[in-house]
Structure formats: C-alpha cells, structure tokens
Amino acid sequence: MILPISADLIAERNTAHLAALEDDYAALGRKLARAGIDIDAVKAKVAQFSVAVPSWGAGRGGTRFAKFPIPGEPTNIHEKLEDCAVIQQLGRATPRVSPHFPWDKVGDYKALREEAASLGLGFDAVNSNTFQDQPGQPHTYANGSLAAQDAATRAQAVEHNIECIEIGRQLGSTDLTVWVGDGTNFPGQQDLGRSLDRYLEAAAQIYAVLPDDWRMLLEHKMFEPAFYSTVISDWGSSILAAQELGPKAKCLVDLGHHAPNVNIEQIVARLHRFGKLGGFHFNDSKYGDDDLDSGSINPHQLFLVFNELVEAELNPRDGFNPSYMIDQSHNVTDPIESMLSSAETIAQCYAKAALVDRAALHAAQESNDTMMAFQALRRAYNTDVAPILAMARMEAGGAIDVLEAFRLSQYRSRKAQERKAVGLGAGIV
Ligand code: LRH
Ligand code: MN
C-alpha cells in the first residue's frame, strides 16, 4: 500500500511527541482509575470507532455567493481519494469514503474500488443526486424529483437511484442515502399531501430493488433549496416514510437540517426507540444548514448525541448499526485539515460519552437527583480525552499531532504543483 505521507516523517514527529503523550496518558489513566474506569478499555473502544468522510468534502465548498478554490485541491474522485487517504493515514479514524453521484462518476467502478483499497480506503453509503440537472438530462428537477408532478421526471429520479445502487454494489457499499430537495417556495404551489404520496410511491420503487443486505437512508431537511415547504422536512415525515417503505428503510440525521435549538439528541433517542436510526451526517451550524466543522459551534450537542448513541449501543433495537459520516462544506479552511480536526472532535465526543458512569447516571435519574444526573454527564464531558485518541492513533500507525504532520509534509503545496487549478464558481462543490 503506497500511502501519500512519508511514514518516516510521521515516525520522526511521533518520537518527538511520545514522552509528553505517555505522561498525559498515564496521568489520565490514574484519574480514570480512581473512578473505576480502565483507560486501556476506553482506548480499545476508540480504536474501533470510525466515521466516513464525504468525497465532496475533499474539495473547497462554497455558498450561492461564491466558492474560493485553493491551489492543489482535488478535481476528480481519484484526487479526492488520495486526499481522503491522507486523512486516514494521519488520523486512523476515517477508513471509508461516502461518494456522491454523478459527481464521482467513472467508467470502471471495480477499478475504483481497487484504487481505494490500495490507499487503505473502502466505500460507505452512496449518495444519489436529484437536486441538480445534468447536461442532456431529459427531464428537469426544477419542480422536484421523487415527488415531482410529472411522472416521467419521477421515473427518471427512480432510475438514477437504482443506478446508484448498482454502482454501490460494485464499490462494496450497502447503504443508499436519499436526500431530495423537493418542496415549494409559495403556499399553494403544490398539494402538501399529494406531493408526499408521489414521493412514497416513487421511493417504494427504489426500495423494491434494494439488495437484501442494503438499507435506504432517508435524509430529512427543514428547508433549502425550498423555502416554504419541504417534502421530507423533519424526522416525523422521515420515520413515517421509512415505516411505510419497510424494514430496510431507515432515517439519516444530518445535524444541520433542523431549526435552531431543536433537541437533536432526543430525535436520535426516538429514532432508535423505533428501530429506525440508520445514520448520521455530522457537521455543525449556528443558523441554517451551514455545514460547518463538527463540534466547532456546539460541541456539547455533539457529546449529547453520542451520549444517546452509547445508551442505544447498550439497549440495541432491531439492526442498531448507524452509519457515521461527515457532511461538511469547507469554505475557508484546507478541507483535509478540517476533516482531520472534525474526525478528532467526533471521536472525542464518542470517547467522552463512553466515560459516562451509566450506573451513577441511571441511579440519579431513578431517584430524581437532577443535579447528580447532570453531573454524571458533565464530569465525562469535562474530561480531556485527547491522550486516549492520540495513543490509539499512534498505535494504529497515525500521527500524534495530525495537523503538524500534515503541514510538515507540505502535501498541499506538492499537489498544487501536480494538479490543475479549479476554476472560480459558486455552490456547494
Ligand atoms: C443536503 C445534504 C445532503 C447531500 C448534500 C451534499 O443539504 O446534506 O446530504 O447530498 O448535502
Ligand atoms: Mn447531508
């Protein structure tokens, strides 16, 4: 396996950081032991934890106003895979890539799967795209896709999703993520009931061809690109649609797809309760679907989501195997640095949630000792778990200080020499 960053550089920098890491790890180990927690057991859980990176996150993102490319950013799926391999080589927590079609379309998917494997990568959920028109496309999605009024347009959208499943089978995926931007900008523009019926009828045609070991992950979103109504706008619409479709249909929670201050961790608990928690698109936001770096605005919310996931792990419902994926738009940072930092933050929230003294929490909950219940979570949240993640990462061959190693590798400036420049533009990719 030829990996993009020099293993000697990683080893040399790890040697420089090792003594400090071992000191921090030992000190944290003593602190956790006093609470009856074995730090090596938590490290083992963290070593098993992983989150997929979005192929579309490897390039600079933008808004409707503008996108500011950086020299050396990837221009196709091959270069995106190379960059995702850097994130996996240094961080050791992102061994899978979630591709998006047709953005990542190639001629030979078997070869693409081998190419990814040669970089230490596999593929997670495939994402369909019926929110943009492609050159030469017979029917426009301007008035929707799976919920479109026009039957030929719905059929085209169904066909595209079935094509994504076929591609995914060749890539070794077992999940199809279906997000549709279908909705309206004006009251009365579409019948709110009939548009959902059209969506359900079309989604059922996709569901009908899902391979036995596959899942269809329905992604709800409150608004954008539609600004009056959205067909699958919230977890309620999503779980009802998933229940209507069948056991292989689950719900995907994109953290940025809710109104400000919505209790997302409770949505996670509800979807889990009914066996419909299929996956996540991790990111953060302050206002709308800002697609900011995970935990960069509200790390406590991300911790509380993982607190529900650890509780769910302890009380599994049918098929509890949520797909963890990042979905961010890197408008002002180097995408590799953002995904290294975000994967670290996500894994930190998982590790903190694993530190919660569940017996003390449950006892306080059962005796209505509100303060001690809250303190059981807060103690874990306040624990600096960075030494555990760094030790797990180093033992897996990664870098103790991922951003230092990435910058010292001068990977981006090397790619700026090799890759063609990305043109100015606007939009998410
Ligand atoms: C929609 C969304 C969806 C992707 C797109 C790139 O906002 O979250 O998951 O298809 O972003
Ligand atoms: Mn998403």
Side-chain angles (χ1 to χ4, degrees):
M1 202 185 293
I2 315 110
L3 293 178
I5 304 289
S6 127
D8 296 347
L9 168 77
I10 295 172
E12 184 261 322
R13 297 313 306 152
N14 282 354
T15 306
H17 293 299
L18 187 55
L21 172 58
E22 286 174 337
D23 191 37
D24 294 346
Y25 190 83
L28 179 58
R30 288 191 296 276
K31 177 170 180 257
L32 294 178
R34 288 196 300 273
I37 298 169
D38 169 10
I39 191 172
D40 291 338
V42 180
K43 182 183 63 171
K45 282 172 79 76
V46 164
Q48 296 309 311
F49 179 85
S50 65
V51 59
V53 288
S55 61
W56 62 95
R60 265 285 181 89
T63 70
R64 60 184 168 162
F65 299 107
K67 188 178 96 137
F68 301 100
I70 54 171
E73 73 167 89
T75 62
N76 57 47
I77 184 61
H78 308 290
E79 294 174 351
K80 289 175 182 178
L81 287 178
E82 211 183 349
D83 292 6
C84 292
V86 171
I87 301 164
Q88 171 57 7
Q89 183 186 7
L90 296 176
R92 299 290 163 166
T94 58
R96 296 176 312 285
V97 176
S98 182
H100 216 300
F101 298 100
W103 294 339
D104 298 327
K105 214 168 186 132
V106 294
D108 181 343
Y109 291 105
K110 190 168 166 308
L112 189 68
R113 183 176 183 174
E114 283 151 15
E115 180 186 335
S118 74
L119 290 165
L121 298 170
F123 288 99
D124 204 301
V126 293
N127 296 267
S128 60
N129 176 344
T130 59
F131 51 86
Q132 294 173 322
D133 287 347
Q134 305 305 322
Q137 183 179 300
H139 306 285
T140 177
Y141 292 132
N143 300 307
S145 61
L146 295 178
Q149 189 72 34
D150 173 58
T153 303
R154 296 198 301 275
Q156 176 184 274
V158 168
E159 201 39 52
H160 166 65
N161 278 277
I162 293 174
E163 185 198 355
C164 288
I165 294 170
E166 189 35 49
I167 292 171
R169 281 160 55 88
Q170 297 173 63
L171 294 176
S173 299
T174 57
D175 286 333
L176 168 70
T177 298
V178 181
W179 169 67
V180 295
D182 296 19
T184 66
N185 279 8
F186 288 81
Q189 179 182 342
Q190 285 295 336
D191 180 88
L192 300 176
R194 285 194 289 281
S195 47
L196 178 61
D197 289 339
R198 291 191 296 268
Y199 168 91
L200 289 171
E201 186 248 330
Q205 292 168 33
I206 301 168
Y207 187 93
V209 300
L210 268 185
D212 293 349
D213 61 344
W214 272 60
R215 300 179 306 177
M216 191 170 164
L217 306 179
L218 309 183
E219 184 176 0
H220 60 273
K221 182 173 181 178
M222 186 173 66
F223 75 98
E224 189 205 39
F227 295 102
Y228 169 66
S229 73
T230 292
V231 174
I232 302 295
S233 58
D234 57 22
W235 76 277
S237 310
S238 184
I239 198 170
L240 293 170
Q243 288 171 335
E244 183 93 356
L245 289 168
K248 290 186 281 185
K250 305 276 185 184
C251 305
L252 182 143
V253 179
D254 183 312
L255 272 62
H257 289 186
H258 306 86
N261 308 324
V262 160
N263 187 326
I264 298 174
E265 56 271 25
Q266 181 164 271
I267 293 173
V268 171
R270 294 286 175 276
L271 291 172
H272 172 63
R273 167 65 184 76
F274 295 96
K276 283 298 183 184
L277 184 60
F280 289 85
H281 277 178
F282 293 118
N283 49 55
D284 212 335
S285 49
K286 193 161 180 60
Y287 305 105
D289 185 21
D290 310 341
D291 280 340
L292 300 173
D293 288 12
S294 301
S296 61
I297 304 294
N298 189 348
H300 191 237
Q301 173 180 263
L302 189 58
F303 162 73
L304 293 175
V305 164
F306 273 99
N307 177 52
E308 290 305 326
L309 289 165
V310 171
E311 279 288 347
E313 250 174 19
L314 297 169
N315 315 290
R317 299 268 170 173
D318 111 24
F320 176 71
N321 164 28
S323 196
Y324 297 148
M325 296 171 278
I326 290 173
D327 177 4
Q328 294 170 189
S329 180
H330 306 116
N331 302 356
V332 295
T333 55
D334 182 302
I336 289 178
E337 294 191 352
S338 268
M339 292 206 271
L340 282 167
S341 157
S342 301
E344 166 89 2
T345 302
I346 293 164
Q348 284 205 4
C349 287
Y350 171 68
K352 288 173 187 267
L355 288 180
V356 172
D357 179 340
R358 305 256 152 219
L361 173 65
H362 299 161
Q365 289 168 339
E366 271 130 39
S367 59
N368 292 314
D369 185 340
T370 302
M371 182 45 69
M372 283 309 132
F374 173 66
Q375 290 304 328
L377 294 187
R378 186 41 58 95
R379 259 194 313 279
Y381 180 67
N382 285 344
T383 303
D384 175 5
V385 295
I388 298 175
L389 274 75
M391 192 64 85
R393 194 166 53 239
M394 182 202 61
E395 290 172 355
I400 290 173
D401 184 332
V402 291
L403 293 178
E404 179 202 57
F406 175 65
R407 292 197 171 186
L408 287 175
S409 76
Q410 301 192 324
Y411 176 84
R412 187 61 75 193
S413 51
R414 275 191 280 130
K415 294 300 152 187
Q417 309 307 318
E418 293 169 20
R419 294 173 176 173
K420 70 179 194 314
V422 169
L424 291 179
I428 187 169
V429 291

